[in-house]
Amino acid sequence: MIIGAIFAFVFKGFKIYIPVPVWSVIRSIANSTTTISFISLGVGLDMAEAKADLKPLLWGIFLRMIIVPAVFMPLSMRVS
């Protein structure tokens, strides 16, 4: 993913355009990299360690799923 980002900056900087058939292949590979990275991260997840850090984990989930949307959704509706 890092190498791809570097190539993207170079291509964009030199205004190099990629043909549509090649771009569709690159797009398919890019869509799969997120899934592969999540699978790789999940392989290293140890549930015993997650239980040891249960309180911060629950706070993080609560803040990310409840508080942040509750604060920013009204703000985004007001801006638009």
Side-chain angles (χ1 to χ4, degrees):
M1 288 171 58
I2 294 169
I3 294 169
I6 292 169
F7 274 114
F9 281 120
V10 170
F11 278 40
K12 190 74 168 172
F14 288 113
K15 296 186 179 175
I16 300 171
Y17 296 101
I18 300 172
V20 174
V22 176
W23 180 249
S24 67
V25 172
I26 292 171
R27 190 70 146 179
S28 297
I29 293 170
N31 288 338
S32 68
T33 57
T34 304
T35 305
I36 292 170
S37 65
F38 284 154
I39 291 170
S40 299
L41 289 171
V43 169
L45 180 64
D46 185 11
M47 292 308 288
E49 291 179 18
K51 284 184 181 179
D53 295 325
L54 188 61
K55 189 174 181 180
L57 181 62
L58 290 176
W59 269 109
I61 292 170
F62 176 73
L63 289 171
R64 197 73 163 136
M65 300 299 290
I66 306 287
I67 301 300
V68 170
V71 170
F72 287 103
M73 283 300 287
L75 289 175
S76 67
M77 289 164 38
R78 179 173 283 230
V79 170
S80 61

